[in-house]
Amino acid sequence: METLDLRSQAERSFTRRTFIKGVIAAGAVVSSSAYLFRTNGSSASAQAPGSVERLITLRVNGQERRVDVLKQETLATTLRYKLGLTGTKIGCDRGDCGACTVLVGGVPTYACSLLTHQVRGREVTTIEGLANGDQLHPVQQAVYDEGGFQCAFCAPGFIMSMVGFLQQNPSPTIDEMASGISGNICRCADYPKILKSAMRAAENMRTV
Amino acid sequence: MAIVHDVMPAYELFQPTDVESAITLLREHGDGARILGGGMDTWDWLKDRNKRITALVDLGGIPGLQDIKVTADGIEIGAMVPLSVVARNADVVNSYTVLARAAGRVASPQIRNQGTIGGNVNQDVRCWYYRSGWPCYRAGGNICYANTPQSLNREHAILDANRCVAVSPSDTAPALVALDAKMIVQTRRGVREINAADYFLGPATDIRRTTVLKHGEVLTSIRIPKTWSGAQFYFEKVADRKSWDFPLVNVASAIRMEGGSIADARIVVGAVAARPMRLRKVEDAIRGKAADEATAAVAGELAVRGAVPLRLNGYKVPLMRNLVKRAIRGQEA
Amino acid sequence: MAESNLIGQDIVSRDLVAKITGRAKYAEDYRAEGMLFTKLLLSPLPHARVVSIDLSAALAHPGVIAILTADEVPQDEFPFEPCLTNEPRYEGEPILAVAAVDEMTAADAIELIRIEFEPLPFAIDPLDSLRPGGPNATLMGNAYLGREVGEVKWEQSVFDAAGPDGMPMGPTEDEWEFGEGGVEAGFAKADVIVEEVIYSHSATHHPLESRTAMSYWQNGKLYIHCSVQSVAQSRRAIADRLGMPFEDVVFVSEFCGGGFGSKIRGSVTEIIPSLLSKKAGGRPVMMRVTRNEETAFGRARPGMQGWVKMGFRRDGRMTAMDLYLVQDTGSYARQGDTSTAADCASLIYTPETMRFRTVTVLTNTPPRAAQRGPGGAQGVPMLEPVVDRAARQLGMDRLEIRRVNGPTAATRFGRGNTQLTSCYAPEALSRGAEMFNWSERSARSGQRNGSKVTGVGLAFSTYYGGTSGWDGLLVIRPDGKLYIHQGVGNLGTHAVMDTARAAADVLGSDWEDCEVVWGSSSLHLPHSSTSSGSQTTHAHTRANHAVGMAMYGLLQELASLELGGSPSSYAVGNGRVYRIGSPGSGLTFAQAAQRAITRGGKFSGAVLPDDINEMTRNSATALAGQGLIAAAKDTYPHTARTYSFVATFAEVEVDVETGMHRVVEVTTVADCGTVVHPRSLAAQANAGVIQGMGFARSHKWSIDPTWGVHLTKRLEAAKPPTILDGPTQYHFAAVDLPDPQNPVGAKGIGEPPVGAGSGALLCAIEDALGGLYGSHTPMSPDKVLSIYENEGRVASGRLAIHV
């Protein structure tokens, strides 16, 4: 019965006005960032144990790339805006869609939900790193042969998930395949064709 | 609540290589510091600018936290072990199947690759009012937005609500409670071992926290004793979609059968209260009984006794009842 | 003329390599020197007036370049939607935009802005707004009265009569009725009458690519990169919004990451970076639209609350349908979804009498737009479960009742006594029933295995299948290739590539010798239809066929002038124009292009047909002298309405202990005329069905009724369907019979599968629940369980909105 009491208490104590006041006050919050975006060098606590240097070396698609990375920068942002690898898409920026999927150490990972500083020293593979010149990766070839995808904004992420999953399970059943790539949304909902492409990709991978 | 979203504000990042340094950093930076596990809870708060931090302490570089070790009296899983590793680990799969199943049903494959077992149990509640940054009880205010006559509370609590009606969203937490796991917490003063059943907090105890973990303390590993190894396990999660979604209700159980009857059982339901609900009364009632439909029916009814549904979550009562029945049956139907 | 050899083939679209290697450029993939970033300040309140704005601290913030407010952007009379406003009408409506050197600076600057709002009353549920004394969404009123907005309030007695779960039905703004004696006479003839409260929810479109845009100004021209469904028409729309001639807009949208109706002509917000760039001296401005923002201003499907009553004779024939719908049109433009729902219903059931009443209510929720299958996608799933109920009462097979009432080629339907260009609906239903093995499967309905109950359902859906009267533009260049210019969009349907085949086929060209030109107005594109409403395939196979014929004529004429003989003594094929009977005599396309350049006049694009659109004329003129150029308007007859039809059959297994269901099998058959691209067609149909099923089961939005604030700002909360939410196998077939009013026989397919999918799923779930209430979306597990446990009761109430 406590619930009922709380309800009426809530109604009494809470008006639209308090809510609105809350909203408006929020607009006046003082910015906590000190515009350190473009400043160089280390910040005050840079010498503390575990502190992180901004200038780092990343291993992306087999190449070493020196890059200046903010502490709060996600891997998706670094790839897209600092390394020019725009094949990695940002669909939701919250790990809800999979468009930003890349491989980190071979494992499918949402690049929107990972700091670039977390992948130092680990091999990052993006969609741009799959094909060998004009020679498509076997998974890409399977997708091509099936005429895969519609708008294809999800395609790079899906393909990376397929590559990562097939490394772990080279001979999946169709249900396993679907589960393996279930961390990617296709809003066109072209799932039957994606799944068909993925099963063909499995075949291609086994015969490489 | 923030006026602008989707851009993380600046903070200092630390990547210590031992737990002691992590604890020191957390203490030095006080309330402005936050632990980074897999980040699957953290990014929301920061990207929405609903929580401001000055320092993020990444546990990813600490050796040992990502190990699974078979010990003399069970298994020890490092807090930073990704959920996908837990779900696939042969020892977990064979002896503590309920945990492997629960870990394998968390969110999506990528989230299971990135999210850690420690983060999955320590994650904050997912009440959409609270996570929108509204000044509710849990956020230090004096209102629950999810419990008014018009609130959208399909996902919220039917049991043990106290001002806040948010639920525990974890899939692995009920499994760990069912397995009688011990949470290993390192503090400035040393190491504490806490029973999983005591690790999670309801709002009556502390409305601002979901676990006993205090600022400056680090969950380093989870020990699962042999007690329930190889028992009859059941895990089921009901969610809107088969990928991504948090449970509407989940159930995890371990039952030990002897001579055709239930010798002992632990049954835990998630997403019905702010912490995983261990159903001690149900466990007591079924001990010594056959695992049949009659026992299941009794268990189901007993499980939901005292449930207080909100405007839109009345369905959780039959759902919880039915999932408990299935746990007794050990199968879906 | 050459035999058709491209229509009906599976040809991989050439842009696919770019799409799967990450090279395809979507709006956010463009970079420009000195590019700025913008962040928006969105209204935190559902309805308010901005009283004051203090920008001083934000402007002083290092790195901030410009701030754009509502006072500096076009503002016009309601329902014109401004890109920035001082009177936000929904939570999340953009108020101002900050351009800075990076996003973090822009975001930090927004937090330094002091802005004071005066809260205004707001309406979230149309029915609340219609109550006596209920809130109005705008200061002008709460409902559309024709094109104007006025106040509509119903008497309290209307609500009292309806009761808590009934539909209150006050006087409506729009009403029509047809059939002898009206519905009253129709119901008098009925042996069985069913009536039901029906409900379809609103939901954001959520294309995976948000409506990001990047703009800059150079030499007085605006360059804009954005994500739209249509290139030619969006260029025009953007120019109109900015009050400038379309010739001064260089419009680029090479790839569009989904639209589903939300990006038909682009959005008003796309002009924000254009205006900011102008203010910043032409510097490029990138506006990266986030998922949160996409939820706010990215458009949504209008929800509807309503009631239907249907009368049937013993033989299953529908004698009367009385349909009453309240439409939630959101905060701006009036949508036509309830009317289209009624039109679709009048076609799929061809009732002898029908009455339709509707009122369109404004609410302080995001603006609505057509969403794939607009009207039909709501109408079909609301009505089909009610038809099933009638069939059960009549003791009639559910396929049979649809056959009895469904249209045929001879049908005249609806209030306009409309005639169809073609209709193979009976064939679609029969083929589907056969493939699905309906008679055997439907016998399994209600079978219980433990807690799992089998349900079987089918739904029959329709939508307009195409427009006409658009232009085509072809160039044969001295390289011998045929360049097919397309002003439609590239949103994933492959229509931009596939409709080009009509021109290639007319000229007997190898596909390898053709290039499709698309995606940027700088490439000179013709006046093309929008890529929306299932019109593109029909419209642009016609336009490309017409321009192919024009090119054919030009080649004949050119050959006759160059080589003698009459034009009709020449034929075209395989990259040549040649004399009939002596194929050695003729010109290659490369030669023809050269001669056309030399001759000029109508061959080189210097002289153009009179009836083509200005945009086509400008494009052709810009191309003039580069080869043999043909431009033409589609003037083929179009004397009746073109509709496509889709039947979807589904078997589900509902777990009555959890409310979860598993889709066991889905079969879809379409009548969409001649098949142009089989694999792509199957993908469109199956994916439309999945979108529909997703809409019917999980994809939703939730807006708190007390605070008017969106709670489903993330995809995790909005729940579009995942790959695990359907079966792993889908079956599709097309009737593949030509529409006589399209030169290649094709009709559109985009829209009708959505309603068919959602309808089939709801019917199958209702079937598993033994006929308990099913005309309600989204049918999530909680609802299924509530309905099962409480014998048809929906916990939130049958009319509860935005839950």
Side-chain angles (χ1 to χ4, degrees):
Chain A
M1 287 309 97
E2 195 178 18
T3 323
L4 287 177
D5 291 336
L6 284 170
R7 262 184 202 169
S8 50
Q9 186 195 331
E11 280 157 31
R12 278 197 308 275
S13 67
F14 192 52
T15 64
R16 274 191 182 146
R17 181 119 340 239
T18 41
F19 174 78
I20 289 154
K21 265 166 74 183
V23 168
I24 294 163
V29 166
V30 176
S31 166
S32 66
S33 83
Y35 192 57
L36 50 79
F37 202 108
R38 280 159 307 283
T39 58
N40 278 318
S42 47
S43 64
S45 48
Q47 300 314 312
S51 64
V52 169
E53 291 295 329
R54 273 180 48 171
L55 198 59
I56 59 173
T57 302
L58 293 177
R59 279 163 53 197
V60 181
N61 298 332
Q63 290 185 320
E64 303 233 315
R65 306 279 298 264
R66 277 299 267 178
V67 55
D68 181 8
V69 178
L70 301 182
K71 308 296 168 70
Q72 77 277 23
E73 194 169 307
T74 64
L75 179 58
T77 310
T78 307
L79 292 171
R80 292 181 49 76
Y81 285 96
K82 300 220 170 131
L83 301 179
L85 298 169
T86 55
T88 300
K89 304 301 180 199
I90 298 177
C92 71
D93 203 24
R94 300 301 176 97
D96 291 341
C97 80
C100 66
T101 302
V102 299
L103 302 183
V104 177
V107 176
T109 302
Y110 294 141
C112 75
S113 297
L114 186 73
L115 296 181
T116 308
H117 283 285
Q118 291 178 279
V119 303
R120 270 197 329 270
R122 296 158 81 186
E123 181 63 42
V124 176
T125 311
T126 72
I127 188 73
E128 292 92 343
L130 291 186
N132 184 2
D134 284 343
Q135 176 79 43
L136 294 177
H137 183 280
V139 172
Q140 288 170 318
Q141 189 62 51
V143 171
Y144 182 86
D145 291 339
E146 290 293 339
F149 295 101
Q150 294 184 21
C151 86
F153 195 76
C154 68
F158 255 112
I159 290 169
M160 297 316 290
S161 280
M162 291 176 196
V163 172
F165 178 70
L166 289 171
Q167 279 167 6
Q168 183 205 312
N169 183 352
S171 304
T173 64
I174 194 162
D175 287 329
E176 288 168 348
M177 189 74 235
S179 294
I181 56 175
S182 64
N184 293 72
I185 290 269
C186 168
R187 267 303 282 141
C188 301
D190 200 7
Y191 295 128
K193 192 144 55 70
I194 291 170
L195 204 45
K196 209 168 169 211
S197 305
M199 292 308 282
R200 186 167 183 156
E203 258 173 64
N204 283 4
M205 289 291 278
R206 287 196 296 271
T207 54
V208 183
Chain B
M1 66 198 80
I3 195 84
V4 64
H5 304 279
D6 302 305
V7 180
M8 267 197 266
Y11 48 78
E12 203 44 65
L13 174 69
F14 297 96
Q15 298 185 312
T17 50
D18 55 70
V19 179
E20 292 71 26
S21 303
I23 290 171
T24 306
L25 282 163
L26 290 167
R27 289 177 50 78
E28 272 173 12
H29 290 266
D31 285 346
R34 187 182 171 96
I35 293 176
L36 178 65
M40 305 317 297
D41 184 6
T42 297
W43 306 132
D44 260 3
W45 291 111
L46 302 185
K47 287 179 178 178
D48 278 337
R49 297 190 160 215
N50 284 329
K51 282 196 179 171
R52 295 300 177 121
I53 60 166
T54 53
L56 191 62
V57 181
D58 177 9
L59 304 184
I62 301 177
L65 297 191
Q66 301 195 28
D67 298 341
I68 298 183
K69 285 180 286 205
V70 176
T71 61
D73 50 1
I75 194 165
E76 179 163 3
I77 303 171
M80 289 293 285
V81 175
L83 291 156
S84 56
V85 174
V86 175
R88 280 200 303 269
N89 178 277
D91 295 303
V92 178
V93 169
N94 293 331
S95 305
Y96 311 100
T97 323
V98 66
L99 177 61
R101 284 200 204 134
R105 280 290 281 119
V106 172
S108 74
Q110 288 92 321
I111 290 176
R112 293 193 290 275
N113 290 337
Q114 295 171 257
T116 62
I117 181 117
N120 191 254
V121 297
N122 285 338
Q123 67 180 310
D124 209 342
V125 298
R126 299 278 165 175
C127 168
W128 51 20
Y129 295 98
Y130 169 62
R131 288 188 87 98
S132 297
W134 296 23
C136 69
Y137 285 123
R138 188 170 287 276
N142 61 355
I143 168 80
C144 171
Y145 296 89
N147 188 12
T148 75
Q150 285 194 294
S151 297
L152 303 186
N153 47 27
R154 188 183 72 116
E155 289 81 4
H156 291 73
I158 54 170
L159 285 164
D160 275 11
N162 185 307
R163 294 160 293 156
C164 174
V165 296
V167 295
S168 158
S170 173
D171 287 315
T172 59
L176 291 168
V177 175
L179 290 167
D180 197 14
K182 317 293 172 193
M183 316 302 275
I184 309 304
V185 173
Q186 191 165 334
T187 73
R188 187 166 54 116
R189 293 191 185 83
V191 172
R192 286 197 287 159
E193 184 183 294
I194 303 153
N195 285 331
D198 304 323
Y199 184 74
F200 301 99
L201 298 180
T205 315
D206 190 335
I207 206 162
R208 306 293 302 272
R209 289 187 295 164
T210 57
T211 70
V212 298
L213 210 61
K214 294 197 195 80
H215 186 77
E217 300 181 338
V218 175
L219 174 72
T220 54
S221 69
I222 298 167
R223 286 187 196 138
I224 302 171
K226 274 189 177 162
T227 329
W228 293 94
S229 166
Q232 177 191 304
F233 293 120
Y234 190 77
F235 179 83
E236 188 174 356
K237 168 182 181 173
V238 173
D240 290 304
R241 298 178 302 169
K242 296 195 180 90
S243 188
W244 267 293
D245 294 354
F246 290 101
L248 294 168
V249 177
N250 60 18
V251 67
S253 63
I255 295 179
R256 174 104 45 216
M257 301 293 294
E258 261 171 40
S261 60
I262 298 168
D264 203 1
R266 284 173 75 101
I267 301 173
V268 187
V269 180
V272 293
R275 59 194 196 122
M277 289 295 290
R278 182 177 166 202
L279 306 176
R280 286 173 192 273
K281 282 182 186 158
V282 174
E283 294 167 8
D284 292 343
I286 64 174
R287 217 169 276 126
K289 303 263 166 58
D292 58 14
E293 198 56 33
T295 305
V298 169
E301 292 309 326
L302 200 52
V304 296
R305 198 170 283 175
V308 182
L310 309 169
R311 176 185 171 224
L312 297 175
N313 68 0
Y315 74 95
K316 281 197 178 186
V317 177
L319 182 53
M320 177 174 170
R321 183 192 67 209
N322 294 341
L323 289 182
V324 168
K325 284 161 83 171
R326 290 183 182 207
I328 308 287
R329 290 184 201 135
Q331 58 185 21
E332 284 191 4
Chain C
M1 228 178 80
E3 281 287 294
S4 152
N5 60 12
L6 298 173
I7 300 295
Q9 304 277 337
D10 278 333
I11 303 171
V12 173
S13 291
R14 285 208 191 111
D15 60 341
L16 186 55
V17 172
K19 286 174 170 178
I20 62 176
T21 53
R23 291 204 292 268
K25 282 208 185 304
Y26 297 79
E28 201 204 315
D29 300 337
Y30 290 92
R31 301 285 177 267
E33 188 64 29
M35 191 166 86
L36 303 172
F37 291 82
T38 186
K39 285 297 289 179
L40 303 171
L41 191 157
L42 307 182
S43 173
L45 302 174
H47 193 194
R49 197 184 280 120
V50 174
V51 178
S52 68
I53 304 181
D54 179 358
L55 299 175
S56 52
L59 283 167
H61 191 59
V64 171
I65 307 297
I67 300 180
L68 190 71
T69 64
D71 300 331
E72 303 161 89
V73 306
Q75 301 279 347
D76 218 329
E77 288 283 289
F78 192 86
F80 171 87
E81 188 182 342
C83 64
L84 298 170
T85 184
N86 283 326
E87 192 206 319
R89 297 172 197 277
Y90 63 96
E91 185 245 349
E93 185 163 12
I95 290 176
L96 57 81
V98 175
V101 292
D102 54 58
E103 277 191 353
M104 192 173 76
T105 306
D108 287 349
I110 283 179
E111 291 185 337
L112 298 172
I113 292 169
R114 286 176 189 276
I115 180 160
E116 196 188 332
F117 295 100
E118 178 198 344
L120 296 172
F122 63 88
I124 296 299
D125 184 335
L127 294 182
D128 280 345
S129 181
L130 291 166
R131 282 178 199 281
N136 290 344
T138 77
L139 300 176
M140 297 152 292
N142 66 332
Y144 272 96
L145 304 168
R147 289 175 176 205
E148 303 296 310
V149 172
E151 193 174 80
V152 175
K153 300 289 170 191
W154 295 341
E155 305 276 331
Q156 184 57 40
S157 56
V158 170
F159 293 88
D160 295 342
D165 252 358
M167 178 68 195
M169 291 189 280
T172 53
E173 170 245 350
D174 191 13
E175 175 169 350
W176 51 255
E177 191 165 6
F178 66 74
E180 210 180 310
V183 282
E184 213 168 299
F187 284 119
K189 283 190 245 168
D191 297 307
V192 162
I193 292 174
V194 286
E195 62 175 296
E196 192 53 272
V197 169
I198 53 181
Y199 171 71
S200 181
H201 66 291
S202 298
T204 310
H205 293 63
H206 280 310
L208 202 54
E209 184 197 15
S210 60
R211 56 209 60 241
T212 286
M214 193 271 275
S215 286
Y216 57 92
W217 296 79
Q218 220 167 55
N219 303 325
K221 280 196 194 279
L222 170 67
Y223 290 75
I224 177 161
H225 297 261
C226 54
S227 175
V228 296
Q229 287 175 228
S230 332
V231 174
Q233 299 307 322
S234 301
R235 178 194 189 196
R236 213 185 276 276
I238 290 276
D240 286 349
R241 288 181 192 125
L242 289 164
M244 57 193 285
F246 71 78
E247 294 90 336
D248 291 343
V249 176
V250 179
F251 191 90
V252 184
S253 181
E254 214 178 329
F255 292 89
C256 170
F260 317 118
S262 72
K263 299 174 181 168
I264 293 176
R265 289 181 184 80
S267 310
V268 66
T269 44
E270 276 145 21
I271 67 171
I272 294 171
S274 307
L275 294 170
L276 263 174
S277 169
K278 195 169 221 174
K279 212 172 163 180
R283 269 180 88 169
V285 175
M286 168 71 80
M287 182 175 73
R288 190 176 70 86
V289 171
T290 68
R291 188 53 48 186
N292 181 0
E293 292 163 341
E294 186 67 22
T295 305
F297 53 77
R299 312 295 105 167
R301 189 195 285 293
M304 44 190 81
Q305 299 152 300
W307 168 89
V308 69
K309 182 175 165 186
M310 300 173 183
F312 296 85
R313 269 199 303 269
R314 223 169 291 285
D315 62 2
R317 183 74 182 102
M318 190 186 280
T319 57
M321 176 187 291
D322 195 1
L323 181 62
Y324 185 105
L325 295 170
V326 172
Q327 174 168 246
D328 180 353
T329 203
S331 39
Y332 283 96
R334 178 190 184 128
Q335 299 304 312
D337 286 43
T338 48
S339 296
T340 309
D343 286 342
C344 289
S346 72
L347 176 53
I348 55 181
Y349 308 124
T350 63
E352 290 173 357
T353 65
M354 180 171 172
R355 177 166 67 155
F356 171 60
R357 291 171 289 168
T358 192
V359 58
T360 293
V361 179
L362 286 148
T363 56
N364 298 99
T365 62
R368 304 304 201 279
Q371 187 176 113
R372 198 165 176 191
Q378 298 104 310
V380 172
M382 288 193 298
L383 300 176
E384 286 285 68
V386 185
V387 171
D388 277 6
R389 189 161 318 166
R392 285 190 191 94
Q393 285 190 30
L394 287 160
M396 193 170 179
D397 180 76
R398 290 179 287 146
L399 170 65
E400 194 52 33
I401 199 169
R402 285 168 176 86
R403 276 198 179 124
V404 166
N405 292 300
T408 66
T411 294
R412 302 281 182 279
F413 76 97
R415 52 182 160 152
N417 213 25
T418 306
Q419 193 179 342
L420 299 165
T421 55
S422 67
C423 173
Y424 303 105
E427 288 83 350
L429 280 168
S430 297
R431 181 84 187 276
E434 192 183 307
M435 284 169 62
F436 184 73
N437 203 353
W438 169 260
S439 51
E440 207 171 288
R441 273 178 197 271
S442 59
R444 280 188 233 157
S445 128
Q447 270 184 17
R448 190 160 173 155
N449 176 15
S451 60
K452 313 273 190 352
V453 186
T454 295
V456 181
L458 82 151
F460 184 53
S461 177
T462 186
Y463 207 80
Y464 313 116
T467 56
S468 53
W470 305 93
D471 291 349
L473 177 61
L474 303 177
V475 183
I476 294 174
R477 291 178 181 265
D479 62 5
K481 286 197 166 189
L482 173 66
Y483 291 82
I484 303 162
H485 290 236
Q486 295 269 63
V488 299
N490 186 15
L491 67 166
T493 63
H494 307 157
V496 67
M497 303 292 161
D498 293 345
T499 60
R501 299 183 193 184
D505 263 356
V506 168
L507 298 168
S509 287
D510 253 14
W511 192 238
E512 291 307 308
D513 298 328
C514 300
E515 292 286 344
V516 177
V517 179
W518 93 97
S520 169
S521 65
S522 64
L523 300 172
H524 313 298
L525 307 178
H527 171 65
S528 302
S529 78
T530 59
S531 294
S532 67
S534 301
Q535 67 183 309
T536 321
T537 296
H538 180 265
H540 285 281
T541 47
R542 284 174 63 115
N544 280 315
H545 193 278
V547 76
M549 292 301 287
M551 179 60 93
Y552 200 101
L554 286 174
L555 282 162
Q556 285 177 313
E557 217 174 312
L558 184 66
S560 143
L561 287 172
E562 294 285 336
L563 306 171
S566 71
S568 61
S569 62
Y570 287 90
V572 179
N574 298 317
R576 296 182 77 238
V577 53
Y578 57 91
R579 200 187 286 265
I580 297 165
S582 68
S585 165
L587 300 168
T588 63
F589 275 12
Q591 290 167 330
Q594 281 298 351
R595 308 285 161 85
I597 293 167
T598 313
R599 282 192 180 268
K602 65 176 167 185
F603 297 108
S604 72
V607 176
L608 295 161
D610 289 334
D611 61 351
I612 56 170
N613 181 277
E614 184 193 9
M615 188 179 279
T616 315
R617 178 174 306 280
N618 290 358
S619 292
T621 302
L623 292 163
Q626 298 184 24
L628 177 61
I629 293 179
K633 177 185 163 90
D634 156 25
T635 55
Y636 295 134
H638 197 186
T639 56
R641 290 301 297 268
T642 305
Y643 277 85
S644 292
F645 300 92
V646 170
T648 294
F649 299 73
E651 179 180 333
V652 302
E653 203 179 71
V654 175
D655 189 328
V656 294
E657 286 187 344
T658 60
M660 299 282 281
H661 67 263
R662 184 173 75 87
V663 182
V664 178
E665 185 149 340
V666 178
T667 297
T668 299
V669 177
D671 161 24
C672 55
T674 302
V675 175
V676 176
H677 184 168
R679 188 160 59 189
S680 197
L681 171 64
Q684 278 297 306
N686 286 332
V689 164
I690 299 169
Q691 276 192 343
M693 290 189 164
F695 187 77
R697 69 186 297 178
S698 65
H699 176 196
K700 64 168 188 174
W701 79 6
S702 301
I703 296 176
D704 183 87
T706 310
W707 313 107
V709 171
H710 229 299
L711 296 167
T712 31
K713 287 171 178 161
R714 286 183 46 175
L715 287 180
E716 185 274 314
K719 303 188 191 301
T722 76
I723 198 168
L724 297 180
D725 295 318
T728 48
Q729 300 283 347
Y730 293 80
H731 308 287
F732 172 78
V735 174
D736 203 7
L737 292 168
D739 182 274
Q741 296 207 1
N742 179 294
V744 306
K747 301 192 283 191
I749 188 59
E751 322 303 312
V754 181
S758 49
L761 182 68
L762 287 189
C763 286
I765 292 175
E766 184 184 82
D767 185 50
L769 295 177
L772 288 174
Y773 185 63
S775 301
H776 197 290
T777 58
M779 193 57 85
S780 42
D782 55 306
K783 248 177 242 163
V784 173
L785 197 55
S786 297
I787 288 171
Y788 178 74
E789 291 271 330
N790 305 312
E791 295 184 348
R793 203 182 141 255
V794 180
S796 52
R798 290 189 176 183
L799 296 163
I801 202 158
H802 309 319
V803 168

